Amino acid sequence: MRIAVIGCSHGTLDDIYASVAKCDADARSRGEPEVGLMICCGDFQAMRHPPDLQAMACPPKYRALGQFHNYYAERKKAPCLTIVIGGNHESSGYMWELYHGGWLAPDIYFLGFAGSVLVDGWLKIAGASGIWKSGDWKKGHFETVPYDDRTIRSVYHIREYDVARLLQLKGRGAPPDIFMSHDWPLGIEQYGDTAALIREKPFFKEEIASNSLGSPPLHALLTTLQPSYWFSAHLHVRFAALFHHSGQPTIVKRRQQVVAPPPPPPPAAVENPDEIMLDDDEDDEDAGEVGPKEIVSEEKEPCPCSTSAAAEEVAAAPTGNPDEIELDMEDEEVPEVEEGGEEVASEVKEQLAPEAEQGKTRTTRFLALSKPGFGKDFLQIIDIPEPEGHVRPTTLTAAPVPEAPVSEESTETTDPSPTTPSPPRYHPTLYFDPNWLSIVRTFAPYLSLRPSPTPFPPPATFEEKISESLAWIKSNVGKDGTGLVKVEDVQTFARTAPATGEGYDDAPPAWYTNPQTEALCDLIGIPNQINPVPEGFREAQAAELAAQKQAEEEAKIAREKAKAEALAAARAEALALVDAVGEE
């Protein structure tokens, strides 16, 4: 399966899909398959309408609606299945609605605050949303819309509850093929070209020296789950690493630089006077600030190829831009130096991970990517072989024609060349992971919606409880006794907040009960604690609808009665007129 991996998205969904379409065109010219799946590693910014901007943690000057809202309103359609996790610049109110996972828009699936799914029933993708902050690690999910200055940030801090659930995936089925995170696992920079990373981002030097760059819980997940691939974003730099779970050190082999002859000068291009170019002098790592007019799809570099070569031979990072302004060290986006990271990672693994040990011969290929923009390494194409004997369904979907970027003040596109429809592409099917459903069911009673957490029982008891839940899932979910069920058979995308242009763009932020979350909770037999419908609301709503229906019926009867009376009066008047004429 060919997969497009995206670092931070920063709301530029049109441009990202256009970049993937460019890679698909190159692949077709070489007789290679197109991208069937795209995964986005946080800062997706799923803004449905302007009120969602008040739920995103970033300086007000960087709050932009972006391009997702057209996919939410179904004015546009994702060209391929897209799986998303959350970062620290998100539409947090919307993400919370789908805490357990769900469709943000048709064919755009949010993995949840933590989750695991199966693509085509075999490709196991797990992930964790948010970033590390020690002060919120032990807390429950207490934040509610509208957020204040504190909760608008704490809502995206990763929690022990979610990591504890992910750790239970160990030994339950195959290890994840892919793990997605926004933050980096603690210490992963030691397994790649650390010197090149420091040259690219010199302000990371202190954190690297103190082994505090990254997330301790993610390190515990890395060493416990041992996925084949791990993809991250957040730090806005491309970085590759090889993590040998046997303890074998990673040897960095720098490729010899070959100076190519200069290419012939390109033909003169017609400039778009309305296009805004990315100015590195205004680059702010905390903001998620890629503006809506940055045309990422016109990047002239060739499409990135598979990461397999980069994984086996970790290349030196590219030379940094000497004109780039370092991000403000007082801003929260900069990884904070928190002492005891190694101790936290060890404690998480010892206290929460299952006791069963897996083999120590696996290797995880790690790749972090940057953000969209000219000259930014935000996209990587990888190929993962399908298992032997796997037969793809024959279902194909027509790929949408990529739209050329359009100036807001003109109807002319920036690319005058005509677009041609792409041939039908294979569309993978998303399935729930039965093992993950059993974990969610088991841990449901311990989900805290208060600042204080709900204490876990002794870790040893989880083995029996999860096994009981898995037996329940296999008996009650699906039809063949495996517990495997298509996501689309349970969760159907439905808009909750109004879309743009529906008259609520100036409304205050509000929370909504998402029917997808209710459907998932019903599937596995747990109560919905995520924005549940207020007690008595449905009864009151039903009573109101019944009263409205009764009033409409009574009004209808009254109208019919008045009509009958009017007809009778008219008939009587006509008969009286006839009698009067007869007497004359």
Side-chain angles (χ1 to χ4, degrees):
M1 182 179 294
R2 177 155 290 192
I3 303 171
V5 184
I6 308 297
C8 297
S9 300
H10 289 179
T12 59
L13 199 52
D14 290 350
D15 299 332
I16 290 172
Y17 283 137
S19 296
V20 173
K22 180 176 181 290
C23 292
D24 283 342
D26 291 346
R28 288 194 300 271
S29 69
R30 297 190 299 268
E32 297 175 358
E34 296 181 339
V35 168
L37 171 67
M38 188 172 88
I39 60 177
C40 302
C41 299
D43 281 4
F44 186 73
Q45 299 181 11
M47 305 298 162
R48 300 167 290 185
H49 59 169
D52 279 345
L53 293 172
Q54 300 180 50
M56 181 171 70
C58 77
K61 67 177 180 177
Y62 291 122
R63 288 177 178 167
L65 193 59
Q67 300 163 349
F68 169 80
H69 66 97
N70 283 321
Y71 297 83
Y72 176 79
E74 299 182 76
R75 302 182 191 106
K76 294 184 178 181
K77 179 77 162 53
C80 61
L81 176 62
T82 302
I83 298 178
V84 175
I85 59 164
N88 57 320
H89 301 304
E90 300 291 1
S91 176
S92 295
Y94 190 22
M95 295 296 201
W96 173 250
E97 283 182 30
L98 297 171
Y99 170 80
H100 294 300
W103 300 106
L104 295 169
D107 278 336
I108 301 177
Y109 193 81
F110 174 47
L111 201 55
F113 279 50
S116 176
V117 293
L118 302 174
V119 179
D120 274 355
W122 65 270
L123 184 70
K124 188 172 185 176
I125 299 179
S129 294
I131 64 171
W132 163 249
K133 179 76 170 180
S134 61
D136 294 320
W137 164 244
K138 293 281 187 179
K139 293 180 180 177
H141 289 288
F142 63 92
E143 301 86 356
T144 57
V145 175
Y147 302 117
D148 58 29
D149 291 342
R150 168 70 178 119
T151 57
I152 200 172
R153 294 185 179 276
S154 65
V155 67
Y156 57 70
H157 291 153
I158 195 168
R159 305 297 161 86
E160 181 183 37
Y161 175 81
D162 298 313
V163 173
R165 294 188 300 159
L166 285 167
L167 286 168
Q168 305 310 311
L169 287 171
K170 178 178 181 179
R172 293 182 170 88
D177 297 289
I178 294 173
F179 196 96
M180 303 167 60
S181 69
H182 189 59
D183 218 347
W184 294 18
L186 177 71
I188 192 66
E189 78 283 351
Q190 301 297 330
Y191 299 88
D193 195 338
T194 310
L197 176 62
I198 293 174
R199 288 195 301 271
E200 177 82 0
K201 299 286 185 179
F203 36 83
F204 291 163
K205 187 174 183 179
E206 180 182 348
E207 287 85 353
I208 291 173
S210 61
N211 195 26
S212 58
L213 182 68
S215 168
L218 294 184
H219 176 84
L221 287 168
L222 169 65
T223 56
T224 301
L225 301 184
Q226 303 180 10
S228 299
Y229 292 89
W230 187 301
F231 299 114
S232 297
H234 188 43
L235 300 184
H236 298 169
V237 63
R238 178 190 175 92
F239 180 77
L242 269 179
F243 189 94
H244 299 285
H245 295 279
S246 63
Q248 175 186 349
T250 298
I251 300 175
V252 178
K253 298 179 181 179
R254 294 178 176 84
R255 294 190 179 96
Q256 182 179 0
Q257 284 191 324
V258 178
V259 179
V270 178
E271 294 185 0
N272 177 7
D274 297 315
E275 183 176 340
I276 296 177
M277 304 296 288
L278 178 63
D279 184 356
D280 281 327
D281 290 341
E282 296 179 358
D283 192 21
D284 185 338
E285 297 279 343
D286 181 62
E289 72 285 4
V290 177
K293 288 189 178 180
E294 283 186 36
I295 309 303
V296 177
S297 58
E298 293 191 357
E299 189 172 359
K300 298 301 188 294
E301 294 297 322
C303 288
C305 58
S306 171
T307 57
S308 57
E312 295 297 338
E313 182 179 60
V314 182
T319 304
N321 179 0
D323 298 323
E324 182 170 328
I325 297 177
E326 297 180 5
L327 51 86
D328 184 357
M329 296 302 288
E330 294 180 359
D331 210 319
E332 189 182 58
E333 176 83 355
V334 181
E336 299 182 12
V337 180
E338 298 198 39
E339 299 297 331
E342 292 179 283
E343 290 77 6
V344 172
S346 177
E347 177 186 351
V348 170
K349 188 172 180 179
E350 291 178 3
Q351 294 185 4
L352 302 177
E355 294 182 0
E357 286 294 324
Q358 294 182 351
K360 297 294 184 181
T361 59
R362 291 180 56 82
T363 297
T364 296
R365 293 166 169 83
F366 174 85
L367 181 67
L369 292 168
S370 186
K371 59 183 178 179
F374 290 104
K376 302 289 185 180
D377 289 317
F378 70 94
L379 166 64
Q380 182 70 47
I381 305 297
I382 68 167
D383 291 302
I384 296 183
E386 296 180 1
E388 186 176 353
H390 174 71
V391 179
R392 281 188 173 187
T394 57
T395 305
L396 297 174
T397 58
V401 178
E403 297 186 6
V406 179
S407 166
E408 293 182 0
E409 300 178 2
S410 171
T411 57
E412 295 182 359
T413 65
T414 58
D415 183 0
S417 61
T419 56
T420 56
S422 299
R425 73 166 72 231
Y426 171 66
H427 192 283
T429 302
L430 195 61
Y431 291 82
F432 289 113
D433 179 356
N435 286 298
W436 178 250
L437 293 181
S438 68
I439 293 167
V440 174
R441 176 179 164 86
T442 300
F443 275 72
Y446 309 103
L447 173 61
S448 172
L449 302 180
R450 305 181 306 275
S452 58
T454 300
F456 291 132
T461 65
F462 278 128
E463 182 67 32
E464 181 180 355
K465 291 178 180 293
I466 293 173
S467 296
E468 293 173 355
S469 292
L470 182 58
W472 187 95
I473 293 294
K474 289 182 176 180
S475 298
N476 295 277
V477 174
K479 299 179 181 179
D480 56 1
T482 64
L484 195 65
V485 62
K486 294 179 182 178
V487 172
E488 63 186 19
D489 289 345
V490 179
Q491 294 178 307
T492 302
F493 169 70
R495 291 197 293 271
T496 49
T500 50
E502 294 184 352
Y504 294 90
D505 288 359
D506 296 327
W511 65 267
Y512 303 88
T513 300
N514 200 301
Q516 296 186 70
T517 300
E518 292 189 306
L520 179 58
C521 292
D522 289 343
L523 176 72
I524 60 177
I526 64 174
N528 175 30
Q529 301 185 67
I530 312 302
N531 292 358
V533 175
E535 185 176 353
F537 175 82
R538 285 206 169 105
E539 291 78 1
Q541 188 180 47
E544 181 180 353
L545 291 174
Q548 182 180 355
K549 184 176 181 180
Q550 182 178 356
E552 290 175 354
E553 289 292 333
E554 291 175 351
K556 181 180 179 180
I557 293 172
R559 288 193 301 271
E560 291 176 350
K561 182 179 180 181
K563 182 179 179 180
E565 290 175 349
L567 288 173
R571 181 175 182 179
E573 183 179 353
L575 290 174
L577 182 61
V578 170
D579 292 341
V581 171
E583 292 177 356
E584 293 177 358

